[in-house]
Amino acid sequence: MTVLSPGQRPGPPADDRGVPTVTELRLSAFRSHRGATFPLGPVTLFAGVSGSGKSSVLEVYDALARLGGGAALGEVFRDPAGCVPERTGPDAQGRRGFRIGCTVEGPAGPVRLDLAVQAEPELRVVGERLTCDGQTLLTTALRDPGRSTVQAAWYTAGTAPVTRAPLPGDRLGTALLPLRVAGKTAGQLRVLAAAEQVVLALRSVFACDPQPARMREPVALGDARLRRGCDNLAEVLWRTHRQCAKRHARLAATVRSGCPGPVEALVVEELADGKVRALVDRGGPWATPVGRLGDGELRYLALALVLLTGPGVLAVDTVAEVPAAMQALTVLADGFDRSMDGRQMRELVALAASVCAGGHLRLMGTVTDASCAREVDGVTVVDLGP
């Protein structure tokens, strides 16, 4: 277990196989955070009271992930003015904004992405910088507020040291580079490697917020990919029971450790109307429909299912052209300990540490009380304080 305060860093990443991973998140100026740098390990839990800015950290990660996938600023930041730190006054041109960034470790080395966004008077990118080992690979700047573009310059190392061209002012330039850089010079190849490393690490994200009230009813069979709210829990358990016997058995063992009463197995019943419902086999003729479980038990079951499955089962946008061995999926779980007791949290955090030690799954969560997580090796706790 590692306990850190903002600005401290954990040791080197446990994964040494070159899988691109986000190892640092920067909230230079975002909501309640100013000049904040947060280290990220395989399992990172942000602890603090309500209002300490825990959720904002996950919000920034999710925003960068969506931008890395090609989303426009307006799709990602629905309330851009709310992202501006409080008491931030406008500049001489009446502009206010926010700044975020991250570091991605991988085969190209440590790559830093920093993004400055104007929230008012209109939402747009005003500056972006991509660097690797201290070398600037991409910069963008807002030269003419009357245009919808920013001026970009990326490293070439050919007959011209840089290439200059306009890029859309509502998109992440790093995500556009693979479509704009020819890859003919050593410099261009380095730019491509750095940009692709960042995009690959950011895109593999599953933001999860189990909603017990929506998990109790039978569900129709569909693609059996677990949705963000886990409302199709029974459908996914139906799939794992048939296709992933070992993982399904491990899930049942996890439920046995964290839920009261006997648990022999997790079973799924097909109903006459074509829907399915999940039940907890208590032994003999006794089975409890999951709809009768408490909120904490349902959240515990759903989060354990998330940790024990992968991109093929979770509803995530995978990068199909990249081998699975070169991808690490990051699970974002705001309110990770919500509705759960200490025993359930200890079991769930231990499961997360065990699964994430393999290097292909990472977890970022927020908790109110991190006391049980501090006892688990492989977990980084970032205390945000009051």
Side-chain angles (χ1 to χ4, degrees), residues 27-35 51-57 59-60 76-88 97-100:
L27 281 66
S28 303
F30 187 85
R31 296 197 185 276
S32 62
H33 297 280
R34 289 181 180 271
S52 59
K54 306 185 300 294
S55 297
S56 297
V57 182
E59 180 185 354
V60 166
V76 176
F77 299 106
R78 298 293 188 181
D79 177 26
C83 300
V84 180
E86 194 175 5
R87 298 188 297 277
T88 297
F98 53 90
R99 291 179 288 120
I100 57 179

Side-chain angles (χ1 to χ4, degrees), residues 164-330:
R164 302 182 188 278
L167 290 179
D170 66 341
R171 309 276 172 169
L172 186 69
T174 297
L176 300 175
L177 286 180
L179 303 176
R180 301 295 297 269
V181 179
K184 294 181 178 179
T185 69
Q188 290 175 338
L189 289 172
R190 188 173 193 200
V191 170
L192 283 174
E196 290 170 353
Q197 176 171 296
V198 170
V199 171
L200 177 59
L202 287 174
R203 277 185 57 183
S204 301
V205 165
F206 181 66
C208 176
D209 185 15
Q211 300 293 317
R214 295 161 52 189
M215 296 161 57
R216 302 182 186 280
E217 299 300 322
V219 296
L221 291 175
D223 63 2
R225 300 183 72 198
L226 190 65
R227 296 190 283 265
R228 175 175 182 154
C230 302
D231 49 288
N232 63 332
L233 175 73
E235 177 196 11
V236 178
L237 289 175
W238 175 87
R239 174 180 177 179
T240 60
H241 185 258
R242 284 157 178 76
Q243 299 180 1
C244 314
K246 290 184 178 179
R247 290 185 180 182
H248 191 86
R250 188 177 180 187
L251 176 63
T254 301
V255 173
R256 188 177 304 121
S257 300
C259 293
V263 176
E264 293 294 326
L266 293 172
V267 297
V268 181
E269 178 183 47
E270 298 188 41
L271 305 177
D273 60 0
K275 294 183 178 181
V276 295
R277 68 168 181 168
L279 305 98
V280 178
D281 183 355
R282 301 292 191 180
W286 184 29
T288 303
V290 297
R292 297 181 65 90
L293 299 180
D295 286 1
E297 293 173 290
L298 280 172
R299 283 185 56 83
Y300 175 83
L301 171 57
L303 289 168
L305 177 61
V306 169
L307 291 169
L308 287 171
T309 55
V313 177
L314 305 178
V316 296
D317 178 23
T318 58
V319 186
E321 60 274 18
V322 178
M326 286 299 297
Q327 299 186 51
L329 174 68
T330 298

Side-chain angles (χ1 to χ4, degrees), residues 119-193:
E120 297 173 341
E122 61 176 333
L123 180 64
R124 63 182 305 165
V125 172
V126 294
E128 179 179 347
R129 183 179 295 272
L130 189 72
T131 59
C132 182
D133 289 328
Q135 182 177 37
T136 300
L137 302 179
L138 167 72
T139 59
T140 71
L142 176 61
R143 301 298 186 193
D144 184 353
R147 295 180 179 270
S148 61
T149 60
V150 291
Q151 183 63 36
W154 58 83
Y155 183 60
T156 305
T159 54
V162 298
T163 298
R164 302 182 188 278
L167 290 179
D170 66 341
R171 309 276 172 169
L172 186 69
T174 297
L176 300 175
L177 286 180
L179 303 176
R180 301 295 297 269
V181 179
K184 294 181 178 179
T185 69
Q188 290 175 338
L189 289 172
R190 188 173 193 200
V191 170
L192 283 174

Side-chain angles (χ1 to χ4, degrees), residues 346-376:
R346 283 191 295 273
E347 293 292 337
L348 204 56
V349 171
L351 175 65
S354 173
V355 172
C356 294
H360 291 287
L361 185 74
R362 295 169 72 84
L363 171 68
M364 282 180 61
T366 66
V367 295
T368 301
D369 181 5
S371 57
C372 60
R374 300 178 195 277
E375 305 169 4
V376 182

